[in-house]
Amino acid sequence: MHTHRVSTAPTQPAGTEVYLDFFSDLRPWRHWTLRVDGSIATLLMYVQPDGGIFDGAELKLNSYDMGVELEFADAVRRIRFEHPEVGCVVIGSGYEGVFCAGANIRALAAATHAHKVNLCKFTNETRLELEEASAGSGLRFLAAVGGACSGGGYELALATDHILLVDDRNTAVSLPEVPLLGVLPGTGGLTRLTDKRHVRRDRADVFATRAEGLRGGVALEWGLVDELAPRTSFDEAVNARAAALTEHSRAAGAFVSDEPAMLEPLDISPTPDGSVIGEFVAMAPDRDRACAEVLISASAHPRWPLRAARELDALLCHLRFNEPELGTVVLLTDGSHASVTAHDRALREPANHAERETALLWRRTLSRLDLTARTLIAAVEPGSCFAGVLAEVALAADRTYLLDGEFVDERPDDAVGMAVRALRGPQSADAVLPTLAMTEISLGSMPMANGLTRLQSRLWGDDAAIAAARDTVGSALDAQAAAEAGLATATPDDLDWDDDLRLAVEERAAFSPDALTAMEANHRFCGPETMATKIFGRLSAWQNWIFIRPNATGPDGALTRYGTGTRPSYATDRV
């Protein structure tokens, strides 16, 4: 096991087979190499077979597990922030004759169901980030497919702006999951074939059931790749295409002369009881209530936007993979409204490279919050700072509780949120009355995966209510005003506050987590479908179901028997 990404958990929760470290510096990368030459970066996948996170799972043929994926996500983020001069990223392979074989089947078969699903979700988020980087940053991606490209490897290529395939009468692109593994291509492959590349539906059906895939001219004709080049001139074709993509990239934009934004190590280590204490984000587990209390502290310091977004993003990943039994997340904030709204302009109208990438990171982090399979409860108390970009945290919640008035009596030690506040020390005595304050950030700067604002998603179908709520932008809404605007679920007073929150959390712990996950996902993403909502809603939901079906993971299922030389045995009933 590679200690940069896997370590001993402070408190290993039941049901997790490996602890993933999202808070440490991943460099030096073990599975990727990066070379920057002017405006072109070359990121080569060079997976070390003995570098997997699961014992006995050899990562052959550039197949990946979560350790490889963590490094890839880190590499993409560092290119975005630390190399503003780069306009095109060439993604290739460090091995001859292979691009990427996709997710490692041995590792997938050895993983728990939750790990399988979260691997797919994390990988999907990273693939979507490539497309977001192209649309939002002008950073182009070129897949230099110089060898076999199957499954998740082809899905990686599909997420780029341009796929260049070697034309050697041997190299193919393929999605063999259905015919060989009894599962779906889990990182958006089916959706991108039709929605992004506009492959004809009948051809997509043939391609996705043809294990050997398609080569050369047919792959180009069907729209599976964008360009072919013979092996003898493949490198020259890659260089020419990368140069062409750079001409229409951020390298030719207004921010080309900007300084890089270096990503300092987070250097956060969970405590023995599982608490996480960062500079601006903290988490305390309440295992008796199956709850995680998360506190985001606002600051006017210029480093707050980037550091807070990175800490929150890492914490969300940590909760997904390492704390599967903390099913409810109570979201708390502190600080002055002015301290967070001081960053509004930079997050809405970034004026330089660092501000732009930070704003886009907040957008992705809030989207990761939306997509987190946990109950989200925002608690707006005296001293809270649900304003500006942090108002989006409250709007992302499944329920928002806003205290009506102030606390008169001392709160009990077992009140919800007391544990995480104890990590920060006593609350300021001059804490202001609780209010929720949307700014113009909530009007479109941070859209959800469905393309809507969180305000629109919350009040979907009631145009008058949306318009009235938009009119409150710039105002600090107390309990009554927030309730009238449809922004507060409940407004208990001092006498009822702790009991109402405690009952909500304890009630959640008594429900089926599976039913809650499905219910919450359906409620959060109303309105129109996008490619992202199809990937996370439709594709992920089906894959989740398939992963627990005997045809995939049973003793005679395809994943179990893969590589044994014995064909799987399928139950033939359609469900």
Side-chain angles (χ1 to χ4, degrees):
M1 292 185 180
H2 192 37
T3 56
H4 280 302
R5 51 203 51 78
V6 182
S7 62
T8 301
T11 302
Q12 189 73 29
T16 58
E17 73 287 349
V18 64
Y19 177 86
L20 294 171
D21 185 354
F22 294 93
F23 302 110
S24 297
D25 194 336
L26 297 180
R27 297 168 301 176
W29 302 315
R30 188 172 187 182
H31 303 292
W32 295 87
T33 63
L34 174 65
R35 184 181 72 252
V36 177
D37 183 12
S39 61
I40 297 175
T42 302
L43 185 60
L44 296 182
M45 191 177 196
Y46 196 61
V47 176
Q48 301 305 298
D50 62 348
I53 64 174
F54 292 102
D55 293 336
E58 187 177 2
L59 304 182
K60 298 179 180 179
L61 301 175
N62 264 354
S63 58
Y64 60 78
D65 63 7
M66 248 323 271
V68 179
E69 274 300 306
L70 279 174
E71 289 189 356
F72 178 65
D74 186 61
V76 171
R77 180 169 295 182
R78 290 189 181 280
I79 293 170
R80 295 187 69 169
F81 276 93
E82 298 182 354
H83 293 281
E85 76 279 12
V86 168
C88 179
V89 181
V90 178
I91 301 177
S93 170
Y95 293 108
E96 289 289 336
V98 62
F99 177 74
C100 174
N104 184 269
I105 306 307
R106 297 290 186 194
L108 201 62
T112 63
H113 175 73
H115 186 97
K116 290 184 181 71
V117 173
N118 283 322
L119 168 63
C120 289
K121 180 178 283 188
F122 184 90
T123 307
N124 274 315
E125 288 168 328
T126 307
R127 303 300 178 265
L128 284 164
E129 181 176 350
L130 301 189
E131 293 162 335
E132 180 253 28
S134 180
S137 299
L139 180 61
R140 309 302 181 207
F141 291 87
L142 168 63
V145 182
C149 178
S150 62
Y154 180 53
E155 290 178 295
L156 171 58
L158 284 170
T160 65
D161 295 285
H162 195 90
I163 304 174
L164 198 161
L165 177 68
V166 66
D167 189 11
D168 59 1
R169 299 185 180 182
N170 183 49
T171 300
V173 293
S174 64
L175 291 176
E177 288 85 349
V178 170
L180 293 185
L181 304 174
V183 297
L184 298 177
T187 35
L190 299 181
T191 308
R192 285 188 174 89
L193 285 180
T194 55
D195 286 40
K196 180 180 181 179
R197 302 195 68 86
H198 305 298
V199 175
R200 263 174 34 195
R201 174 186 149 193
D202 57 337
R203 287 177 168 178
D205 184 280
V206 171
F207 176 65
T209 53
R210 183 171 175 166
E212 67 274 22
L214 292 171
R215 302 171 178 83
V218 177
L220 182 64
E221 178 189 352
W222 285 23
L224 303 174
V225 301
D226 299 294
E227 185 178 357
L228 302 176
R231 187 166 295 282
T232 54
S233 59
F234 185 73
D235 291 343
E236 290 84 349
V238 169
N239 292 335
R241 180 55 58 188
L245 289 171
T246 301
E247 291 179 2
H248 303 284
S249 71
R250 70 178 187 180
F255 298 157
V256 67
S257 62
D258 283 347
E259 294 296 319
M262 305 308 292
L263 300 180
E264 62 184 13
L266 293 179
D267 286 337
I268 298 172
S269 297
T271 64
D273 72 350
S275 296
V276 173
I277 309 171
E279 184 176 355
F280 299 117
V281 177
M283 185 277 287
D286 184 343
R287 302 194 188 281
D288 291 337
R289 294 177 176 139
C291 167
E293 300 169 354
V294 173
L295 174 65
I296 308 169
S297 297
S299 170
H301 196 285
R303 68 197 302 273
W304 181 85
L306 178 54
R307 175 80 188 197
R310 292 180 65 209
E311 288 185 1
L312 180 58
D313 189 57
L315 177 62
L316 293 173
C317 292
H318 169 76
L319 285 170
R320 283 186 188 177
F321 282 89
N322 300 324
E323 294 285 4
E325 295 188 356
L326 300 180
T328 298
V329 177
V330 177
L331 298 162
L332 303 137
T333 57
D334 63 16
S336 69
H337 285 196
S339 65
V340 70
T341 57
H343 306 293
D344 266 24
R345 184 206 57 77
L347 293 175
R348 286 190 299 107
E349 300 173 358
N352 56 52
H353 164 74
E355 289 181 356
R356 176 181 61 192
E357 293 304 328
T358 299
L360 291 171
L361 176 58
W362 265 106
R363 182 190 295 188
R364 295 192 302 277
T365 300
L366 290 166
S367 182
R368 204 188 300 270
L369 179 65
D370 296 327
L371 293 166
T372 296
R374 308 295 164 98
T375 296
L376 305 176
I377 297 177
V380 188
E381 303 175 328
S384 289
C385 187
F386 286 103
V389 71
L390 295 185
E392 291 294 285
V393 174
L395 293 173
D398 300 300
R399 296 186 189 181
T400 303
Y401 288 77
L402 204 163
L403 179 70
D404 186 5
E406 58 185 336
F407 291 126
V408 177
D409 299 322
E410 186 175 347
R411 300 179 65 193
D413 292 338
D414 65 345
V416 172
M418 292 300 288
V420 71
R421 292 202 183 280
L423 299 176
R424 292 289 190 205
Q427 194 174 10
S428 173
D430 59 352
V432 296
L433 290 175
T435 56
L436 175 64
M438 292 188 301
T439 64
E440 290 186 8
I441 279 181
S442 294
L443 300 184
S445 301
M446 304 284 164
M448 299 176 68
N450 57 7
L452 303 177
T453 67
R454 289 172 186 81
L455 179 61
Q456 289 173 311
S457 289
R458 186 182 188 91
L459 302 174
W460 181 250
D462 191 338
D463 293 342
I466 293 173
R470 287 172 63 96
D471 288 342
T472 70
V473 164
S475 302
L477 306 180
D478 62 13
Q480 181 177 348
E484 290 175 354
L487 304 181
T489 309
T491 57
D493 60 17
D494 172 58
L495 295 177
D496 294 328
W497 177 262
D498 288 319
D499 282 341
D500 282 10
L501 267 183
R502 177 180 55 79
L503 288 172
V505 171
E506 292 177 356
E507 176 189 62
R508 224 62 180 188
F511 292 148
S512 162
D514 302 326
L516 286 174
T517 296
M519 180 190 75
E520 291 155 0
N522 277 278
H523 287 165
R524 288 176 193 172
F525 296 99
C526 57
E529 270 200 307
T530 64
M531 193 170 72
T533 60
K534 288 180 182 179
I535 288 171
F536 287 113
R538 187 185 305 171
L539 174 66
S540 295
W542 278 106
Q543 188 79 299
N544 191 337
W545 178 72
I546 290 169
F547 273 154
I548 61 173
R549 293 281 291 168
N551 286 341
T553 56
D556 300 321
L559 280 177
T560 307
R561 288 193 171 180
Y562 180 78
T564 66
T566 305
R567 292 177 60 85
S569 176
Y570 293 139
T572 57
D573 55 311
R574 290 267 189 144
V575 179

